[in-house]
């Protein structure tokens, strides 16, 4: 008994010394790991790449245009610049006419399709899934034009043709979309769709306001598919919602 009691303090002391040494070494290793990790990043990323990555954050904060209403330049600076600014990963560099000429030769529609759906190392919508299709189209036009193209940038909040911000006429463009797509459900009121011209069905919905209706119809609502399945421009879809909802006033 007395022998065991005599050993205990020595073992405790050894354990404590061991624990302190272990902790000191562990903390030193962790600190080294943190600083060397940072140093490796700093070496791997060139100043240009760092700048390209840092800049978009500032630009995104600086641009307070509402979602969907950003110009090609704003989208470019917020998203596309991070690769195309420096030509990262083999992307055609902004303003480099030599790199853009073979791309421009594919035509605006092909470039838009590739920007929307992705193309090799180019991620769909540049990785920003919340961009609207029109915003991507504007960014493609902005970048293409900087590389020597003469693309028309779709106007913000208006016609896809670029008519200086003028909204599309609901009774022309909207009617056309309605008759080709929306009529399938809204013509007869199929699947609970508010029927064309039915004031009672539209009354409670109209209180959401035109933009509220556009927003919910864009997202989809129960049996109403996103954009009613329409794949054309946001401006045309907007005009179709206006045409359809006006019928219920
Ligand atoms: C993560 C990096 C990255 C981001 C972000 C990015 N791109 Fe790209 N992009 C690429 C790469 C890489 C290519 C070249 C792909 C190839 O040709 O194989 C490319 C090619 C393209 C092309 C040419 C496609 C073709 O058919 O030749 C267009 C147009 C384009 N990008 C538009 C955009 C737009 C618009 C944005 C912003 C919304 C954007 N990109 C953001 C990497 C990126
Ligand atoms: C496959 C059938 C279908 C098609 C096609 C369709 N809709 Fe709908 N839509 C519906 C249904 C069902 C609702 C009602 C959803 C609910 O309130 O539960 C609806 C509701 C709406 C509303 C009201 C949204 C709200 O917030 O109350 C709008 C606006 C609308 N659709 C617009 C359109 C337009 C524009 C098109 C054509 C581009 C279209 N829809 C195509 C089925 C359809």
């Amino acid at each position: 008994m007395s022998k065991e009691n005599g050993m205990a303090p020595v073992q405790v002391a050894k354990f404590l010394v061991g624990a302190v040494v272990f902790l000191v070494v562990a903390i030193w290793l962790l600190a080294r790991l943190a600083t060397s990790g940072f140093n490796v990043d700093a070496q791997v990323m060139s100043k240009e790449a760092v700048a390209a990555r840092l800049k978009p954050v500032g630009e995104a904060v600086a641009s307070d245009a509402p979602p969907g209403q950003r110009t090609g330049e704003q989208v470019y600076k917020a998203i596309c610049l991070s690769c195309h600014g420096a030509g990262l990963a083999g992307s055609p560099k902004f303003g480099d006419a030599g790199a853009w000429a073979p791309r421009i030769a594919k035509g605006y529609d092909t470039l838009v399709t590739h920007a929307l759906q992705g193309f090799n190392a180019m991620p769909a919508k540049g990785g920003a899934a919340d961009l609207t299709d029109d915003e991507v189209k504007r960014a493609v036009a902005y970048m293409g034009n900087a590389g020597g193209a003469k693309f028309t940038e779709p106007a913000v909040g208006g016609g896809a043709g670029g008519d200086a911000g003028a909204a599309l006429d609901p009774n022309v463009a909207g009617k056309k979309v309605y008759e080709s797509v929306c009529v399938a459900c809204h013509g007869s009121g199929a699947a609970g769709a508010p029927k064309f011209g039915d004031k009672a069905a539209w009354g409670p919905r109209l209180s959401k306001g035109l933009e509220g209706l556009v927003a919910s119809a864009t997202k989809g609502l129960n049996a109403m598919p996103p954009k009613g399945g329409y794949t054309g421009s946001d401006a045309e879809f907007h005009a179709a919602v206006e045409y359809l909802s006006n019928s219920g006033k």
Side-chain angles (χ1 to χ4, degrees), residues 123-171:
K125 292 190 171 179
D130 63 325
L131 289 177
T132 64
D133 290 4
D134 277 1
E135 285 178 323
V136 175
K137 289 177 191 170
R138 287 180 207 126
V140 171
Y142 176 74
M143 278 207 284
N145 290 346
K150 298 237 173 340
F151 298 142
T152 305
E153 182 173 325
V156 170
D163 266 352
L168 293 178
D169 186 344
N171 294 319

Side-chain angles (χ1 to χ4, degrees), residues 174 177-178 180-186 189-194 202 204-206 208 210 212-218 220-225 227-230 236-242 244-245:
V177 174
Y178 169 77
S180 70
V181 179
C182 326
V183 68
C185 298
H186 289 275
W202 279 100
R205 300 185 189 263
L206 292 175
K208 297 179 188 176
L210 177 58
L213 289 173
V214 169
S216 75
T218 300
L221 181 69
N222 303 317
M224 162 81 192
K227 279 177 112 179
Y230 184 63
E236 287 164 346
F237 179 73
H238 191 285
V241 171
E242 196 174 353
L244 177 56
S245 59

Side-chain angles (χ1 to χ4, degrees), residues 80 83-84 89 91-92 103 106 111 114 119-122 126 139 143:
C80 325
C83 291
H84 288 272
S91 56
R103 315 271 178 179
K106 300 181 191 181
L111 295 182
H114 288 168
F119 183 62
N120 302 325
M122 160 79 199
M143 278 207 284

Side-chain angles (χ1 to χ4, degrees), residues 23-41 43:
L23 273 176
V24 168
V25 169
I27 288 168
W28 180 75
L29 279 175
L30 275 174
R32 245 186 84 94
L33 201 71
T35 29
S36 71
F38 181 78
N39 284 340
V40 165
D41 277 353
Q43 281 159 8

